[in-house]
Amino acid sequence: MAQKAHITVNDLTMAYGDFVIQQNLSFTVNKEDIFIIMGGSGCGKSTLLRLLVGLKQPKNGSVFYQNTNFWQANEQQRNEIMRKNGILYQSGALWSSMTLAENIALPLAEYTDLSTVEISELVSLKLALVGLSGFEDYFPSEISGGMQKRAGLARAIALDPDILFFDEPSAGLDPVSAKLLDDLILELRDSLGATIIIVTHELASIFAIGNNSIFLDADSKTMIAVGDPNILLQESKDPKVRQFLTRGKTYLSEQYS
């Protein structure tokens, strides 16, 4: 069965003013991929994520959401595309003065015509999906870091997104919590049929859940590998890619045993 492109990036250049971060990026994210954006520190991973979610415009090149050229579309078209996406930020980005239920209800109240009762039912469902059933009335400060990440994920999936974006989802988590989050990401991909794009340097996660990836190099300022990270580990001839992935492989038995 042929794969269907969800996002297609063509000849992309990212820059801050005249300072080029990455250039000549061309890759495809297929529907229901778990697509990993990886590379060393300072290579532009988070900048690429910001560009893909519409927070930063590229210097050159194009980003297609299926057949729509995102940066040539009008504001209404871009907003419609973004409304179909969910984002989990590194910190979870929950409002500290609101309960978990109130945090998750925000996008539902803003973008739907659902009644208060219907929103409340959906909030409970989303929390149950991420293993937080019964925590509706808790504040973020009253739960652990791993639970905050899951609550942020519940908010990200509130509107049943087509694409989920994650910025370093396992940052700050212990190995057990990181493994549970990886398992949850796989379950949500399968249950929602969503495409998932993850910025991460956590190599145990890269091997466990990624089926497609791009490797950004800070020195050459371009991509030096693309594909399934497990296949790249076996077949890549680039020493930077091999060093990065081989280093991660040595930790797998410790973190995921």
Side-chain angles (χ1 to χ4, degrees):
M1 182 176 175
Q3 293 178 309
K4 294 183 178 180
H6 211 156
I7 297 177
T8 305
V9 172
N10 294 319
D11 199 23
L12 198 71
T13 297
M14 308 185 302
Y16 290 99
D18 294 329
F19 182 73
V20 173
I21 306 297
Q22 288 284 326
Q23 58 191 349
N24 305 322
L25 302 183
S26 295
F27 58 90
T28 298
V29 181
N30 294 306
K31 286 190 173 183
E32 298 189 32
D33 268 355
I34 296 183
F35 188 95
I36 309 293
I37 300 173
M38 60 184 179
S41 298
C43 68
K45 299 187 297 293
S46 292
T47 301
L48 178 56
L49 186 75
R50 285 172 56 83
L51 190 147
L52 293 176
V53 301
L55 295 177
K56 177 174 173 56
Q57 189 165 354
K59 186 177 181 68
N60 291 304
S62 60
V63 177
F64 281 86
Y65 276 81
Q66 297 186 42
N67 297 319
T68 301
N69 187 333
F70 183 82
W71 290 106
Q72 288 187 2
N74 59 43
E75 184 176 359
Q76 180 181 347
Q77 290 173 314
R78 290 200 300 271
N79 287 338
E80 288 175 357
I81 290 172
M82 289 299 96
R83 207 165 292 168
K84 296 177 182 177
N85 298 340
I87 305 172
L88 177 63
Y89 296 100
Q90 186 173 149
S91 64
L94 297 168
W95 292 98
S96 60
S97 60
M98 294 182 174
T99 65
L100 300 190
E102 289 169 338
N103 268 280
I104 296 159
L106 275 175
L108 292 165
E110 179 72 20
Y111 296 115
T112 74
D113 297 322
L114 296 173
S115 69
T116 302
V117 172
E118 289 170 326
I119 288 176
S120 179
E121 291 174 349
L122 267 179
V123 165
S124 294
L125 172 62
K126 301 303 180 181
L127 283 171
L129 285 174
V130 300
L132 291 176
S133 181
F135 284 85
E136 286 83 351
D137 296 329
Y138 281 67
F139 288 90
S141 62
E142 297 176 320
I143 60 177
S144 69
M147 294 168 76
Q148 289 178 23
K149 289 286 180 75
R150 284 188 276 150
L153 182 51
R155 187 177 62 186
I157 64 173
L159 296 173
D160 294 328
D162 294 334
I163 305 177
L164 276 168
F165 293 91
F166 293 80
D167 185 11
E168 299 284 4
S170 299
L173 299 183
D174 62 84
V176 173
S177 296
K179 173 65 165 59
L180 291 172
L181 185 60
D182 285 344
D183 292 343
L184 179 58
I185 289 171
L186 287 169
E187 290 172 12
L188 289 174
R189 188 274 309 272
D190 294 339
S191 62
L192 296 176
T195 301
I196 295 174
I197 299 175
I198 305 175
V199 168
T200 186
H201 65 275
E202 300 290 342
L203 295 164
S205 295
I206 288 171
F207 288 117
I209 64 177
N211 73 296
N212 199 359
S213 69
I214 182 174
F215 190 100
L216 303 181
D217 177 45
D219 295 328
S220 61
K221 297 185 177 181
T222 193
M223 53 187 278
I224 57 175
V226 62
D228 186 319
N230 289 283
I231 294 176
L232 291 177
L233 174 67
Q234 301 298 324
E235 299 182 358
S236 177
K237 305 300 182 184
D238 191 291
K240 291 182 179 179
V241 177
R242 289 195 60 80
Q243 181 184 29
F244 185 91
L245 295 177
T246 302
R247 178 174 59 90
K249 199 69 172 177
T250 62
Y251 294 129
L252 284 179
S253 60
E254 298 176 10
Q255 296 193 42
Y256 275 43
S257 58

